């Protein structure tokens, strides 16, 4: 669909207007509340000042959304195929709107309390709950695609923690006799580069998820819920990239403080190790079309690096708070999506 065709559908379908606006709001909120995780470690190790790091993250989020979607859009396709919103155009778009409203409420609440909740899992849960409400049962879920979420969750926890532990041990072994002053300069620059890389991979993963939602809304507006393969228009990539970058530029210091400052106290080489481990995990997931949580991967990588130093160097109270929020996200946001969709369909 060209942008001209989209405008034609917008003017003939008021619900589509709200769907597009809500999708862009969710993209903005993701950049605002989730993207700061990417640069949390380079701020906590004082490799960069918070404001400069946030602007850097905004730029590389933009690049990540745009370039990764052009190269490999499998994550967007997974999100698109994961749920079934087929039905009347009005009810389908209304249910999708309801899911997006629930996701925004959830994300803003988590940001307010400084808890790095997973926007990815909130999106998946909210869409799933709304699709179940729309279809009146589990027929709203495509199990073959949804199972990729479980694979991604396992990857987040196991590979994130394991690689964080291994990478920092290898770096300590390689640089154990290295001049400390030279190492300081080396890892300060490496930490900045890895922070940029992590921001790029955040955009690559999360940007595609919301592009997938955008495509759902576009095809529903055309009354076409059967198309499974599609090309993502460049103008959609650019719009989502810009909105996410703008959201990131607004701020996010609450999340940076929780992830990079309160949870563990790192040196620069440790922050670089956590970023390198997280980048490797997110890149692997993106290539295979697994919709992973960049928040989960980054925080578990931080835990792995911290545990390599000492199990007591990690603030497990903060970790418990995060894990509780993660566990609550799927059922909580799923129920919010379900009840919001039920109410919206009856009211509108």
């Amino acid at each position: 669909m060209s942008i001209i065709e989209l405008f034609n559908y917008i003017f003939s379908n008021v619900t589509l207007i709200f769907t597009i606006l809500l999708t862009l709001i969710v993209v903005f909120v993701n950049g605002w509340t989730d993207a700061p995780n990417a640069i949390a470690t380079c701020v906590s190790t004082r490799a960069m000042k918070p404001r400069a790091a946030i602007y850097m993250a905004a730029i590389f989020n933009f690049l990540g959304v745009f370039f990764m979607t052009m190269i490999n859009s499998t994550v967007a396709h997974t999100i698109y195929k994961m749920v079934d919103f087929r039905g009347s155009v009005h009810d389908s778009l209304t249910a999708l709107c309801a899911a997006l409203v629930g996701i925004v409420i959830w994300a803003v609440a988590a940001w307010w309390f400084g808890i790095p909740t997973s926007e990815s899992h909130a999106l998946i849960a909210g869409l799933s709950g709304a699709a179940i409400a729309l279809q009146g049962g589990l027929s709203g879920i495509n199990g073959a695609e949804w199972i990729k979420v479980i694979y991604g969750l396992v990857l987040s926890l196991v590979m994130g923690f394991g690689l964080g532990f291994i990478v920092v041990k290898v770096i300590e072994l390689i640089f154990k006799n290295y001049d400390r002053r030279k190492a300081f300069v080396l890892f300060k620059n490496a930490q900045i580069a890895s922070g940029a890389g992590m921001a790029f991979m955040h955009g690559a993963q999360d940007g595609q998820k919301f592009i997938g939602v955008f495509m759902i809304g576009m095809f529903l507006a055309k009354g076409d819920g059967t198309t499974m393969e599609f090309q993502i228009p460049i103008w959609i990539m650019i719009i989502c990239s810009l909105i996410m970058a703008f959201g990131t530029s607004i701020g996010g210091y609450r999340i940076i403080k929780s992830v990079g400052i309160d949870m563990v106290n790192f040196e620069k080489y440790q922050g670089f190790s956590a970023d390198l481990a997280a980048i490797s995990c997110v890149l692997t997931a993106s290539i295979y079309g697994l919709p992973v949580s960049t928040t989960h991967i980054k925080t578990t990588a931080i835990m792995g690096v911290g545990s390599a130093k000492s199990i007591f160097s990690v603030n497990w109270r903060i970790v418990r708070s995060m894990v509780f929020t993660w566990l609550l996200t799927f059922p909580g946001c799923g129920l919010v999506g379900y009840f919001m969709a039920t109410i919206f369909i009856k009211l509108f």
Side-chain angles (χ1 to χ4, degrees):
M1 183 188 289
S2 69
I3 194 166
I4 296 174
E5 288 179 297
L6 178 64
F7 277 115
N8 289 334
Y9 280 112
I10 285 175
F11 291 126
S12 62
N13 192 328
V14 176
T15 312
L16 180 58
I17 297 175
F18 288 106
T19 303
I20 292 172
L21 287 176
L22 285 168
T23 302
L24 294 179
I25 288 170
V26 172
V27 174
F28 171 83
V29 170
N30 179 271
W32 176 33
T33 65
D34 203 36
N37 291 301
I39 41 91
T41 46
C42 68
V43 172
S44 69
T45 60
R46 294 178 174 82
M48 295 185 76
K49 293 183 178 180
R51 182 55 54 185
I54 287 169
Y55 288 147
M56 180 188 73
I59 293 169
F60 280 90
N61 264 291
F62 171 86
L63 296 175
V65 178
F66 186 73
F67 285 108
M68 193 65 178
T69 306
M70 290 190 70
I71 296 167
N72 185 331
S73 61
T74 51
V75 172
H77 279 78
T78 297
I79 294 297
Y80 178 86
K81 298 173 185 176
M82 187 185 68
V83 288
D84 182 4
F85 276 90
R86 286 178 294 180
S88 73
V89 173
H90 178 76
D91 285 352
S92 297
L93 289 175
T94 299
L96 185 58
C97 283
L100 295 171
V101 169
I103 293 162
V104 170
I105 293 171
W106 187 273
V108 173
W111 169 83
W112 179 259
F113 291 104
I115 299 172
T117 185
S118 169
E119 299 296 318
S120 302
H121 291 167
L123 175 70
I124 291 164
L127 289 176
S128 299
I132 290 171
L134 177 66
Q135 303 299 346
L138 292 177
S139 61
I141 304 298
N142 181 352
E145 294 295 326
W146 216 95
I147 193 66
K148 293 180 182 179
V149 177
I150 304 301
Y151 296 152
L153 182 60
V154 173
L155 180 75
S156 302
L157 298 174
V158 177
M159 193 173 172
F161 187 94
L163 270 183
F165 188 96
I166 292 168
V167 169
V168 75
K169 286 292 187 183
V170 170
I171 286 177
E172 287 174 346
L173 182 64
I174 293 172
F175 291 93
K176 64 179 179 179
N177 297 319
Y178 202 76
D179 181 82
R180 189 169 181 83
R181 286 173 297 180
K182 291 181 180 179
F184 180 89
V185 175
L186 172 66
F187 284 107
K188 179 179 180 180
N189 293 328
Q191 175 79 97
I192 294 171
S194 65
M198 191 65 220
F200 180 93
M201 290 313 305
H202 171 269
Q205 256 283 331
D206 285 33
Q208 282 202 42
K209 296 185 186 88
F210 298 110
I211 287 174
V213 176
F214 210 115
M215 298 305 291
I216 292 174
M218 284 176 55
F219 280 111
L220 289 177
K222 293 171 65 177
D224 182 1
T226 60
T227 299
M228 288 292 107
E229 298 300 327
F230 52 84
Q231 292 292 323
I232 299 172
I234 290 178
W235 63 267
I236 290 183
M237 300 179 202
I238 293 173
I239 289 174
C240 289
S241 301
L242 288 173
I243 295 295
M244 181 176 284
F246 178 62
T248 304
S249 69
I250 295 298
Y253 189 74
R254 286 176 186 264
I255 303 297
I256 292 173
K257 185 174 184 295
S258 292
V259 175
I261 299 175
D262 292 345
M263 191 168 73
V264 69
N265 185 23
F266 273 170
E267 293 185 41
K268 289 177 177 60
Y269 80 91
Q270 293 170 311
F272 170 73
S273 300
D275 284 344
L276 185 60
I279 289 169
S280 301
C281 293
V282 179
L283 178 59
T284 301
S286 298
I287 291 171
Y288 288 100
L290 302 179
V292 297
S293 165
T294 52
T295 303
H296 283 202
I297 287 179
K298 182 63 180 286
T299 49
T300 52
I302 289 173
M303 292 176 205
V305 171
S307 297
K309 178 181 178 182
S310 168
I311 195 169
F312 300 107
S313 67
V314 178
N315 186 336
W316 294 103
R317 181 183 61 81
I318 298 292
V319 172
R320 283 196 300 270
S321 175
M322 290 180 184
V323 170
F324 175 74
T325 306
W326 295 348
L327 293 174
L328 188 63
T329 297
F330 274 117
C333 209
L335 287 171
V336 169
Y338 178 87
F339 287 116
M340 292 288 283
T342 302
I343 293 168
F344 272 42
I345 290 170
K346 289 182 178 178
L347 289 179
F348 303 107

